[in-house]
Structures are given as structure tokens and as C-alpha cells.
């Protein structure tokens, strides 16, 4: 698993929830992308993002062809409680 995939409690109470599934017969990176998610502003510390992968490791390698790939990705942003 890459990142911390949002658990059901966080996903159910998120102010913003994004989920996507990508499937591919083949996937190949000439250059492995460097990606990240940063929560700013009034985001609660329990906000999280991550993926569950099949057929491709958490640390993909350039020049390697991965077959029968599935990536489930989610971002769950929770709002921090108001001050006071």
C-alpha cells in the first residue's frame, strides 16, 4: 500500500472524498513520477491519501512493464474542529 489509504471512518466523515480506480493491461514508466498530497488550511490531522495496488509495487521502477494492473486511490480531507 502506498501512503495511508483512508479507513472507513475517515472516509465516511470526510468533508471532501475523492476515490478512483485505474485498471490497465500494461503500465510502463519511462520516468517514475514523484507525486504527493499535502493538506493545508483547516485540514484535520486524520486527513489521508493513499493507494491499494495490484500488479505494480509501491516503488515502481522506470523501464519496467507491469501487467494486469489495478490501482485504487483515495483522498479523504477532514476539517479540523473550530478553535475554542
Amino acid at each position: 500500500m502506498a501512503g495511508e489509504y483512508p479507513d472507513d471512518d475517515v472516509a465516511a466523515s470526510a468533508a471532501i472524498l475523492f476515490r478512483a480506480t485505474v485498471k490497465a493491461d500494461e503500465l510502463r514508466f519511462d520516468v517514475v513520477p514523484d507525486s504527493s498530497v499535502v493538506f493545508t488550511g483547516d485540514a484535520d490531522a486524520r486527513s489521508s491519501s493513499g493507494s491499494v495496488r495490484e500488479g505494480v509495487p509501491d516503488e515502481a521502477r522506470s523501464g519496467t512493464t507491469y501487467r494486469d494492473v489495478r490501482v485504487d486511490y483515495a483522498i479523504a480531507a477532514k476539517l479540523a474542529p473550530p478553535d475554542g
Side-chain angles (χ1 to χ4, degrees):
M1 178 167 56
E4 184 179 330
Y5 196 80
D7 64 32
D8 291 339
D9 291 340
V10 171
S13 61
I16 299 171
L17 177 63
F18 171 84
R19 286 187 174 159
T21 298
V22 176
K23 296 179 182 181
D25 293 332
E26 290 186 353
L27 175 66
R28 180 183 175 94
F29 296 101
D30 289 331
V31 176
V32 177
D34 183 23
S35 61
S36 64
V37 173
V38 177
F39 297 97
T40 61
D42 294 332
D44 185 272
R46 293 172 294 162
S47 297
S48 62
S49 68
S51 62
V52 176
R53 304 172 182 206
E54 296 175 13
V56 62
D58 290 345
E59 298 292 328
R61 294 181 12 201
S62 61
T64 301
T65 300
Y66 301 98
R67 291 181 173 73
D68 299 321
V69 171
R70 176 185 170 130
V71 178
D72 295 316
Y73 186 76
I75 300 171
K78 295 179 63 68
L79 295 177
D83 292 336

